[in-house]
DNA sequence: CGGTTACTTGACTAGCTTCAAGCCTTGTGG
DNA sequence: CCACAAGGCTTGAAGCTAGTCAAGTAACCG
């Protein structure tokens, strides 16, 4: 949970119900509001020239999203889309800044969030610079498993999603997973991947 | 400039002179200090299995670096190396947190910095997901030029550096630049690239 | 059970990487 | 002022492999 819901409402925030598939903002838009999820899920992705999506992040629970371009006064580099029916609180930039100034603890907690996200971005980047598909996929899996636990866990992602995160094609992911299964690097049963 | 130098010293920060090539911290290390450059330049990069470097960022002037893993209590995902003789102030994590609490304006300014960096990471990621070398190189150049100015400027990077930023090989960069020159997308004179 | 979504496989191709060799530019020391 | 060293740049040839297209098959859901 980022900013206390009551504070948001007190400063003039309004809740809004959005259905799955709705766009909150589009790549290139100018940010004007601070957004915070009350419930549901929002997916942020960038699109390259050919229309291939790359998932920049997925937000759930009470998390806020899209604040960096808002604070940095830049256009949105990604599109935000509700990936499930959701409820979102939105509040204008000015009022958001007021909250940050009036409640220093809020600023510190946002700082924590940004620190975590910057760390995640740095590690995601490492996934993308991998040379082979195998390297990228293992990098992604390690990230998902929080990097430490040793036992093999079920990867709750479709091949298409793995492809979106690693910037590979579905077919390449499938072939790489098969090879990794044969080499004992992952385990596949009933189309489910364990790593 | 991130945190006022006097405040850092008042809270117990110490300056240190480091010569070009010295490592400030290595990938995998546990963060214990907040670092801020007084003068010089520091390069942060990640290394993949084969030892190929990817430049995560370059810091100059009075900027701080390496704070995200420090605040998020994670290991450093990258290595920091002085790319020029430099002077660096360092201060323990506890004292850094004290400063953030005692000076809310410092927290807000760090928030701004993080917001800008997150924005940059999102756009750098877009460079990496480009399909062709040309797309990646142009993405990098657009980023360097701050995305707006229209006139062609000299790109102050070696082909190897462009390769490091775009995750391509030197030869690929050279061949792509040549093709882009022939197609009028960049201009090359005396081995210098204008875009 | 029918429709939709996810997954799989094969053949082909474009183009990036690799390796090897040589050239150009710059700076340094005699 | 020249010679040489070193680092950056360039080129060519060959191989590999991820991407693409097309055609299925398997799982899931109402």
């Amino acid at each position: 949970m980022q900013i206390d819901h009551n504070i948001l409402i007190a400063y003039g925030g309004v809740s809004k119900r959005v259905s799955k598939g709705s766009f909150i903002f589009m790549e290139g838009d100018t940010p004007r509001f601070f957004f915070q999820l009350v419930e549901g899920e929002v997916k942020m992705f960038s699109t390259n020239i050919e229309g291939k999506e790359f998932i920049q992040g997925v937000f759930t629970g009470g998390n806020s999203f899209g604040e960096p371009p808002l604070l940095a006064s830049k256009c949105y580099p990604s599109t935000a889309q509700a990936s499930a029916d959701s409820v979102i609180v939105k509040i204008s930039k000015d009022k958001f800044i007021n909250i940050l100034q009036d409640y220093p603890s809020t600023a510190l907690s946002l700082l924590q969030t940004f620190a975590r996200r910057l760390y995640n971005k740095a590690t995601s980047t490492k996934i993308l610079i991998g040379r082979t598909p195998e390297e990228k996929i293992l990098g992604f899996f390690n990230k998902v498993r929080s990097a430490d636990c040793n036992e093999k866990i079920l990867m709750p992602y479709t091949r298409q999603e793995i492809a979106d995160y690693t910037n590979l094609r579905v077919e390449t992911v499938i072939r790489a997973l098969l090879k990794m299964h044969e080499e004992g690097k992952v385990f596949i049963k009933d189309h489910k991947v364990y790593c």
Side-chain angles (χ1 to χ4, degrees), chain A:
Chain A
M1 172 107 63
Q2 199 63 241
I3 296 187
D4 188 274
H5 190 260
N6 295 322
I7 298 182
L8 282 174
I9 300 302
Y11 277 73
V14 288
S15 301
K16 200 173 143 194
R17 187 170 295 278
V18 296
S19 49
K20 177 175 178 175
S22 314
F23 294 97
I24 322 298
F25 52 73
M26 306 289 290
E27 199 165 335
D29 284 356
T30 300
R32 304 196 190 287
F33 299 97
F34 168 84
F35 296 101
Q36 186 163 299
L37 262 172
V38 175
E39 58 177 74
E41 186 176 280
V42 166
K43 182 175 74 169
M44 291 204 34
F45 58 91
S46 298
T47 315
N48 75 359
I49 298 177
E50 286 84 22
K52 186 166 160 41
E53 286 182 12
F54 176 82
I55 299 178
Q56 294 265 11
V58 174
F59 300 88
T60 54
N63 287 300
S64 56
F65 58 92
E67 328 86 329
L70 179 70
L71 282 172
S73 302
K74 301 280 189 178
C75 295
Y76 286 118
S78 316
T79 296
Q81 183 181 28
S83 39
D85 290 341
S86 308
V87 178
I88 295 171
V89 188
K90 89 180 199 185
I91 192 168
S92 74
K93 177 174 179 174
D94 293 346
K95 288 171 184 161
F96 170 54
I97 304 265
N98 286 340
I99 295 178
L100 287 181
Q101 288 167 338
D102 295 349
Y103 296 88
S105 68
T106 298
L108 287 178
S109 115
L110 190 56
L111 211 48
Q112 281 290 336
T113 305
F114 278 11
R116 216 166 27 240
R117 282 200 219 157
L118 276 166
Y119 173 81
N120 282 332
K121 286 280 183 199
T123 55
S124 320
T125 300
K126 288 173 72 175
I127 295 175
L128 293 178
I129 65 172
R131 213 176 38 70
T132 63
E134 178 179 321
E135 213 175 315
K136 295 185 185 188
I137 294 173
L138 283 178
F140 173 61
F141 285 172
N142 280 331
K143 205 180 126 135
V144 168
R145 283 188 321 192
S146 303
D148 16 56
C149 82
N150 274 326
E151 60 177 325
K152 294 211 184 309
I153 64 164
L154 171 65
M155 286 296 142
Y157 295 96
T158 67
R159 324 267 141 148
Q160 183 59 60
E161 285 172 324
I162 299 174
D164 286 344
Y165 277 107
T166 53
N167 198 34
L168 296 166
R169 308 300 128 156
V170 200
E171 298 94 327
T172 306
V173 170
I174 289 165
R175 289 190 255 258
L177 283 176
L178 184 60
K179 182 160 152 281
M180 289 156 75
H181 173 59
E182 285 162 0
E183 295 170 351
K185 292 170 183 163
V186 300
F187 181 67
I188 300 179
K189 167 122 189 179
D190 294 337
H191 300 150
K192 296 183 200 338
V193 183
Y194 299 83
C195 177

